[in-house]
Amino acid sequence: MVTIADIADKLGISKGTVSKALSDAPDISETLRKTILETAVEMGYTKLRRKRNVSKKVCVLIYNMEYTSPGHFGYDIIMGFRQMAEPAGLTVDVIPITKSLQKTTPYDVFMLENDYIGSLVMGISLSEPWIADFKTSRTPAVLFDNYVMGNPSVASVAVDNDEGMELAVNHLKSLGHKKIGYLSGALGSHVFLVRHRAFFAALKANGLPTDPQLSGSSYYISECIQKHLPRLLERGATAIICSHDQLANAAMVQCQELGKKIPEDLSIIGFDDLPMSPYTAPPLTTIRQDRPQLGKCGYYALDSLLNGVPIGTILLHPQLILRSSCGERK
Amino acid sequence: MVTIADIADKLGISKGTVSKALSDAPDISETLRKTILETAVEMGYTKLRRKRNVSKKVCVLIYNMEYTSPGHFGYDIIMGFRQMAEPAGLTVDVIPITKSLQKTTPYDVFMLENDYIGSLVMGISLSEPWIADFKTSRTPAVLFDNYVMGNPSVASVAVDNDEGMELAVNHLKSLGHKKIGYLSGALGSHVFLVRHRAFFAALKANGLPTDPQLSGSSYYISECIQKHLPRLLERGATAIICSHDQLANAAMVQCQELGKKIPEDLSIIGFDDLPMSPYTAPPLTTIRQDRPQLGKCGYYALDSLLNGVPIGTILLHPQLILRSSCGERK
């Protein structure tokens, strides 16, 4: 069990200071207080003093997304969410949901039965039964990477994909690239659809030609690489942006198989900045969506809904992470 | 000077209860506490107990927007912002800014000199000098109805114009309208540009034809009405959406001058829901952007930036307000 001494050790400060932060004492800086509370949540300290919201419970509903270990996409988002929610006095349960649960129990009923006042919903695709519920549900829900129109009880949280694609295209343009290709996961996914549109909008905003033949999308990475990559290379793409890092990694591997050097012959940019991305060959230049920060955005959105402020969308600023997979056009 | 007794009187509760809320006592419901704090701010009570953020100051920077009296567009937004910021312990100054201030003093310098840790910026158009500053400034700024790309210290807050236009078009479609026109203020304004795009996107999403001749934009309302309205009527528009309520009101007046009955011959929808809109002839159906809620969104965005969470965009859910300016297509 984690103690105050453990937290003090980890941060290299006194137990008294940790204790002050946990008991919300006034004579400690706000920055230090935040760091201590976030570390306490991260280490699993369970005795956070809860002044308000006593006994109020929220849940993270998760479907089809890895979240159990550090480094998993969902893990970091949930950690960011908890780092805001728990010091604010909320209890956070993480619940993997199934299709059969969605079919048998409406969302509002599930929340009421289990005494949850709101949820962060992750990994649920547009075809899942609860997406239909979210059009009219009354219990606050924040959808990560998904969007439902016109329900004041539902908010969406995501990275700003438009801004991300513009950062990527701006960067390639500054390196002299004009023929920029795009490889994508299947457009049945909300996030891939949004990024696909954002890519073409960024080309237009940068005054670059848009050629539909310079893009391709498939459900499976291997299919995308086999079916579309050769066409992009034939049509003279000198740079390729990929909808997500795993696809970018596969594209780099395949291009190198075909005798192309990265970045000398071809520049590649990914999207997400997964933990693996600094360790691809070469290390991948990518657009980061900061996962703990996304979790915190999820908390801001849920807090607003719980306070009667019907925020519909929160978008996080992305960052361009420069590594070694992009070079000047020869 | 406003006292605890005044607040208690206004809400019809005891002074003890008001006192509890103001001193952040735990034995009072969160909802009641919020109502009391918001009423205290609204009435001008100045002794809110400030536990944290003591002496921290933020400002509302306002340009070219009325805000001094209740009912003014800016007034309600500022009130919503203060209703969140002041109970959280921040001092809020409202500062009308001039073009010469912007030219002589960079934004960051102004904020530093005056000890402000962040700002909500309202009414500033894309051509103002500080908009260039906001691309690289470091002091947190939240722009209302404006957008600057790629600066993690700057966030944007607005109503979700896409959702608003979709609510308007959905409603007209449900009444049987197919030829829907659009009148707009000048597209040099960020918000009018966004709404213009959103209108055409909503037509497409609803499977309705898009005819550029069925839309028109001008800087002055009178010019817009004289130049574009006759063309829309000639081309057979049975409904017109306007980019803002004043323009919708002018369109209704002019149509009635021309012998058209509203809503029998023509349906009109506005945008904003200004205080005048229930009192136009006929009362105007419109898309509401809730001004106090927008101010609260502004606080959420600023609070996130001050806490190191780089939220880029917050969009508020709009509402369709049904009054008497729309009818079924004959």
Side-chain angles (χ1 to χ4, degrees):
Chain A
M1 191 153 126
V2 179
T3 65
I4 285 180
D6 296 331
I7 300 168
D9 274 357
K10 168 142 189 186
L11 291 171
I13 56 180
S14 75
K15 285 193 286 183
T17 306
V18 173
S19 183
K20 274 184 189 173
L22 297 179
S23 65
D24 222 10
D27 55 339
I28 178 171
S29 86
E30 188 64 10
T31 313
L32 183 56
R33 194 186 68 88
K34 256 191 87 227
T35 305
I36 293 169
L37 286 175
E38 294 195 351
T39 306
V41 171
E42 204 178 315
M43 295 178 71
Y45 183 78
T46 52
K47 289 192 202 153
L48 286 175
R49 187 178 155 207
R50 289 168 184 167
K51 290 202 312 180
R52 297 211 191 95
N53 293 324
V54 167
S55 87
K56 286 195 180 165
K57 292 197 305 173
V58 297
C59 57
V60 178
L61 301 172
I62 193 157
Y63 184 81
N64 197 26
M65 187 187 279
E66 291 192 307
Y67 69 97
T68 48
S69 308
H72 282 167
F73 195 84
Y75 183 92
D76 296 344
I77 296 176
I78 293 171
M79 181 57 69
F81 181 78
R82 289 178 50 212
Q83 284 176 331
M84 299 282 293
E86 294 185 7
L90 294 166
T91 300
V92 181
D93 291 344
V94 179
I95 301 169
I97 54 173
T98 60
K99 208 179 270 282
S100 79
L101 170 67
Q102 293 181 59
K103 279 185 185 160
T104 54
T105 313
Y107 167 74
D108 278 335
V109 173
F110 174 81
M111 296 295 280
L112 189 65
E113 281 178 353
N114 292 281
D115 223 15
Y116 294 123
I117 60 170
S119 68
L120 173 67
V121 184
M122 295 165 60
I124 196 166
S125 69
L126 291 171
S127 59
E128 293 301 314
W130 276 3
I131 288 287
D133 281 27
F134 291 135
K135 288 177 187 159
T136 54
S137 56
R138 298 302 184 93
T139 317
V142 175
L143 311 185
F144 172 72
D145 262 355
N146 231 317
Y147 177 78
V148 165
M149 202 200 77
N151 185 344
S153 301
V154 175
S156 292
V157 165
V159 77
D160 188 332
N161 291 295
D162 286 304
E163 189 177 4
M165 282 298 164
E166 207 158 326
L167 290 173
V169 170
N170 283 354
H171 179 57
L172 291 173
K173 191 185 175 190
S174 75
L175 293 171
H177 296 277
K178 283 169 188 160
K179 279 205 167 182
I180 303 173
Y182 186 68
L183 292 176
S184 173
L187 303 182
S189 142
H190 175 73
V191 62
F192 290 146
L193 185 64
V194 170
R195 287 182 188 171
H196 190 263
R197 285 187 195 143
F199 168 73
F200 285 103
L203 287 185
K204 279 185 194 162
N206 276 279
L208 294 173
T210 55
D211 172 3
Q213 289 296 310
L214 273 178
S215 73
S217 65
S218 301
Y219 187 81
Y220 294 105
I221 286 179
S222 56
E223 189 188 330
C224 189
I225 295 296
Q226 286 163 27
K227 193 170 160 191
H228 304 298
L229 181 59
R231 185 178 67 250
L232 269 58
L233 297 177
E234 274 162 31
R235 293 184 77 88
T238 62
I240 296 175
I241 298 174
C242 298
S243 64
H244 52 306
D245 285 354
Q246 294 103 324
L247 184 54
N249 180 53
M252 291 203 296
V253 170
Q254 181 65 16
C255 285
Q256 290 170 117
E257 288 282 314
L258 296 171
K260 297 250 180 201
K261 283 185 194 163
I262 313 260
E264 292 81 358
D265 301 329
L266 189 75
S267 293
I268 301 272
I269 298 190
F271 205 114
D272 285 342
D273 195 27
L274 294 185
M276 68 166 222
S277 302
Y279 309 110
T280 56
L284 184 66
T285 290
T286 189
I287 303 298
R288 176 182 292 167
Q289 50 171 335
D290 187 303
R291 296 181 295 280
Q293 298 282 37
L294 280 167
K296 290 177 182 178
C297 288
Y299 173 77
Y300 274 104
L302 187 56
D303 187 46
S304 81
L305 296 180
L306 293 171
N307 279 295
V309 181
I311 284 179
T313 298
I314 290 186
L315 301 178
L316 181 72
H317 279 297
Q319 295 165 266
L320 172 66
I321 305 297
L322 294 175
R323 297 200 182 97
S324 315
S325 63
C326 292
E328 291 197 11
R329 186 175 75 109
K330 281 190 297 197
Chain B
M1 193 154 127
V2 180
T3 64
I4 285 180
D6 296 331
I7 300 168
D9 273 358
K10 168 140 188 187
L11 291 171
I13 56 180
S14 75
K15 286 193 284 183
T17 306
V18 173
S19 182
K20 274 184 189 174
L22 297 179
S23 64
D24 221 11
D27 56 337
I28 178 172
S29 87
E30 187 64 12
T31 313
L32 183 55
R33 194 186 67 89
K34 256 191 88 227
T35 304
I36 293 170
L37 286 174
E38 294 196 349
T39 306
V41 171
E42 203 178 316
M43 294 177 72
Y45 183 78
T46 52
K47 289 192 202 152
L48 284 177
R49 186 178 156 207
R50 288 166 186 171
K51 289 202 311 177
R52 298 216 188 90
N53 294 323
V54 167
S55 85
K56 288 199 179 162
K57 292 197 306 174
V58 297
C59 57
V60 178
L61 301 172
I62 193 157
Y63 184 82
N64 196 26
M65 188 188 278
E66 292 192 304
Y67 70 95
T68 48
S69 308
H72 281 170
F73 195 84
Y75 183 93
D76 296 344
I77 295 176
I78 293 171
M79 181 56 69
F81 181 79
R82 291 178 49 213
Q83 284 176 330
M84 299 280 294
E86 295 185 7
L90 294 165
T91 300
V92 181
D93 291 345
V94 179
I95 301 170
I97 53 173
T98 60
K99 208 179 270 282
S100 78
L101 169 67
Q102 293 181 59
K103 279 185 185 158
T104 54
T105 313
Y107 167 74
D108 277 336
V109 173
F110 174 81
M111 297 294 281
L112 189 64
E113 280 178 354
N114 291 281
D115 221 15
Y116 293 123
I117 59 170
S119 68
L120 173 67
V121 184
M122 295 166 60
I124 195 165
S125 70
L126 290 172
S127 58
E128 293 302 315
W130 276 3
I131 288 287
D133 282 27
F134 291 135
K135 287 177 187 160
T136 54
S137 56
R138 299 300 184 92
T139 318
V142 175
L143 312 184
F144 173 72
D145 262 355
N146 231 316
Y147 176 78
V148 165
M149 202 200 77
N151 184 345
S153 300
V154 175
S156 293
V157 165
V159 76
D160 189 332
N161 291 296
D162 286 304
E163 188 177 4
M165 282 299 165
E166 205 158 328
L167 290 173
V169 170
N170 282 355
H171 178 57
L172 291 173
K173 190 185 177 192
S174 76
L175 293 170
H177 296 277
K178 282 168 191 160
K179 280 203 167 184
I180 303 174
Y182 187 68
L183 292 175
S184 173
L187 303 183
S189 142
H190 176 74
V191 60
F192 290 147
L193 185 65
V194 170
R195 287 182 188 171
H196 190 263
R197 284 187 195 144
F199 168 72
F200 285 103
L203 287 185
K204 279 185 195 160
N206 276 278
L208 294 172
T210 56
D211 173 2
Q213 289 294 311
L214 274 178
S215 72
S217 65
S218 301
Y219 187 82
Y220 294 105
I221 287 179
S222 57
E223 188 189 329
C224 189
I225 296 295
Q226 285 163 28
K227 193 169 159 191
H228 304 297
L229 181 60
R231 185 179 67 251
L232 268 58
L233 297 177
E234 274 162 30
R235 293 184 76 88
T238 61
I240 296 176
I241 298 174
C242 297
S243 64
H244 53 305
D245 284 356
Q246 293 104 323
L247 183 55
N249 180 53
M252 290 202 298
V253 170
Q254 180 66 14
C255 285
Q256 289 169 118
E257 288 283 316
L258 297 171
K260 297 251 178 200
K261 285 186 192 160
I262 310 241
E264 293 80 357
D265 301 329
L266 188 75
S267 293
I268 302 272
I269 297 189
F271 206 114
D272 286 342
D273 196 28
L274 295 184
M276 67 167 223
S277 302
Y279 309 109
T280 56
L284 183 66
T285 291
T286 189
I287 303 298
R288 175 182 292 168
Q289 50 171 336
D290 187 302
R291 295 181 296 280
Q293 299 282 36
L294 280 167
K296 291 178 182 179
C297 288
Y299 172 77
Y300 274 105
L302 188 56
D303 187 46
S304 81
L305 296 180
L306 292 171
N307 279 294
V309 181
I311 283 179
T313 299
I314 290 186
L315 301 177
L316 181 73
H317 279 297
Q319 293 165 268
L320 172 67
I321 305 297
L322 294 174
R323 295 199 184 98
S324 315
S325 64
C326 291
E328 290 197 11
R329 185 174 76 107
K330 280 191 298 198

